Amino acid sequence: MKVLGIESSCDETAAAVVEDGHTILSNVVATQIPFHQIYKGVVPEIASRKHAEWILPVVKQALKEADLTIDDIDAVAATNRPGLMGSLLVGLTYGKTLAWAAGKPFIAVNHMLGHLYAAHLMNDIQYPYLGLLVSGGHSIICRVQGFDDIEVLGTTVDDSVGEAFDKVAKFYNLGYPGGVIIDRLAKNGSADAFSFPIPRLDEEEHRYDVSFSGLKTAVIHQRDLFLNKGYEPTNENMCASFQETACRTLTTRLFRAVEDTGLTTVVAGGGVAANSRLRALLAERTGLNCIFPPLKLCGDNGAMIAGVAYHFLMRGDRSGWDTTACARIPQFKRGLKR
């Protein structure tokens, strides 16, 4: 079964064709980074206009690279939540229209399910496992029982980890996208240069939750207060120390979940899953099987949407033509709180 997946939740116009939920026949991503760099962040109005301009050629290119026509496609899928409302509506409306005109089934896909599924495109992963979903909008630790059966154990109580990276980079005029630049600068700095504070949350109520607003504030407004003797307050040192603290904030809570659940497989997804230090910290954990998507599938892409949609189709699910977009996701079911 060949599924055309469309993704337009933020600033990437993406389309892909995936066969039987695993084989990627094409994966086209048109990035808008050059249009947002001057603003040091995504401008929603620019993003939605670029999606409207690019969606048709991107889909055409995905079909061309797969050597298929729309008649060869068995179903069309598109992201409908969460994300920027204007951006979501472009991809969703195009996907529904294309499916209706071609007489194909349509599946609306939660973007979060896509990121968790990305690693499945390249690996045979058995359920259950612990999921680590880290991006510009989300920081989630969850127990994954199936492709759409997710129990959230912990999440951020304020900023997401990706948002913290982007805001630190913006404040220090390092460039955009912030996460990639901080990761690169950190390689030439020392993680011991600054002793930034690690958030301390109530372990009963927030055993697996994370917080990044305090860390972000410390790095932006109080950086030199945390400088250790013998080190220079360079951007490289700041990035290395900030990245180390942010990644250890995540892994500390994740390792608690590993100990409490007994699950020893962790699957990561989302843009921050490309961070080299986060990958290294997880790889260093003895007895833990950590699975990451390849770097090209950490960011937004249509292949992960098509992959999830395949399983909905095999189960007999379809989305109605009245399906609409939603900027946010419903409150997650929470578990394992003591």
Side-chain angles (χ1 to χ4, degrees):
M1 180 174 286
K2 300 177 182 66
V3 179
L4 170 66
I6 297 170
E7 157 59 32
S8 67
S9 62
C10 190
D11 63 333
E12 313 282 12
T13 309
V17 178
V18 175
E19 186 174 28
D20 295 335
H22 289 285
T23 304
I24 300 175
L25 302 182
S26 65
N27 187 30
V28 178
V29 179
T31 181
Q32 299 180 11
I33 288 176
F35 300 95
H36 300 285
Q37 279 179 326
I38 188 174
Y39 305 104
K40 301 180 178 65
V42 176
V43 180
E45 178 66 16
I46 293 176
S48 59
R49 287 180 179 273
K50 285 300 173 184
H51 285 308
E53 179 183 343
W54 291 352
I55 187 70
L56 178 59
V58 165
V59 170
K60 282 186 173 181
Q61 184 66 24
L63 290 171
K64 180 179 179 181
E65 291 186 9
D67 195 23
L68 300 170
T69 69
I70 189 60
D71 292 334
D72 301 314
I73 297 297
D74 295 291
V76 178
T79 302
N80 77 316
R81 64 173 60 189
L84 300 175
M85 196 64 176
S87 294
L88 286 167
L89 284 169
V90 174
L92 178 65
T93 302
Y94 182 89
K96 287 196 297 183
T97 304
L98 180 61
W100 178 82
K104 308 293 182 180
F106 175 74
I107 298 293
V109 176
N110 185 323
H111 180 79
M112 299 294 96
L113 297 182
H115 275 310
L116 279 175
Y117 188 80
H120 288 258
L121 291 165
M122 298 295 180
N123 301 275
D124 182 16
I125 306 172
Q126 301 300 310
Y127 298 105
Y129 58 76
L130 287 174
L132 179 64
L133 181 54
V134 281
S135 66
H138 299 273
S139 297
I140 297 172
I141 296 170
C142 54
R143 178 175 13 210
V144 184
Q145 301 287 141
F147 77 95
D148 68 336
D149 184 1
I150 296 170
E151 179 185 31
V152 170
L153 308 180
T155 185
T156 180
V157 300
D158 40 57
D159 298 338
S160 70
V161 60
E163 180 182 359
F165 271 86
D166 286 339
K167 287 186 175 178
V168 167
K170 182 176 182 179
F171 181 84
Y172 286 106
N173 200 30
L174 301 179
Y176 174 83
V180 176
I181 294 170
I182 287 177
D183 194 2
R184 184 175 67 243
L185 290 174
K187 290 179 170 59
N188 296 316
S190 172
D192 297 322
F194 294 84
S195 296
F196 292 126
I198 294 179
R200 299 186 182 278
L201 302 175
D202 181 89
E203 291 194 13
E204 291 296 318
E205 184 180 0
H206 299 287
R207 183 164 179 78
Y208 312 107
D209 291 331
V210 294
S211 170
F212 293 101
S213 65
L215 171 60
K216 179 190 67 180
T217 299
V219 177
I220 290 176
H221 298 296
Q222 303 167 321
R223 183 178 78 165
D224 291 346
L225 293 179
F226 300 98
L227 180 65
N228 293 318
K229 291 183 178 180
Y231 292 94
E232 294 295 323
T234 63
N235 283 338
E236 289 78 7
N237 282 339
M238 180 269 292
C239 288
S241 298
F242 163 67
Q243 178 174 266
E244 184 74 16
T245 305
C247 291
R248 288 193 179 275
T249 297
L250 286 169
T251 57
T252 297
R253 305 311 192 277
L254 176 65
F255 295 157
R256 282 182 185 173
V258 170
E259 294 168 359
D260 291 348
T261 63
L263 296 173
T264 57
T265 296
V266 172
V267 177
V272 182
N275 181 271
S276 64
R277 186 54 184 152
L278 179 62
R279 289 184 172 227
L281 286 173
L282 291 176
E284 292 169 3
R285 176 78 173 193
T286 303
L288 196 63
N289 177 29
C290 296
I291 305 173
F292 290 88
L295 295 180
K296 65 181 179 180
L297 295 179
C298 287
D300 295 346
N301 63 88
M304 66 185 190
I305 303 304
V308 171
Y310 165 80
H311 293 278
F312 279 119
L313 289 162
M314 295 303 292
R315 198 169 65 186
D317 293 351
R318 303 290 187 273
S319 299
W321 303 122
D322 59 347
T323 301
T324 189
C326 182
R328 298 187 180 274
I329 49 180
Q331 188 66 34
F332 283 113
K333 176 183 176 182
R334 298 291 288 256
L336 280 183
K337 290 297 175 183
R338 296 184 173 183

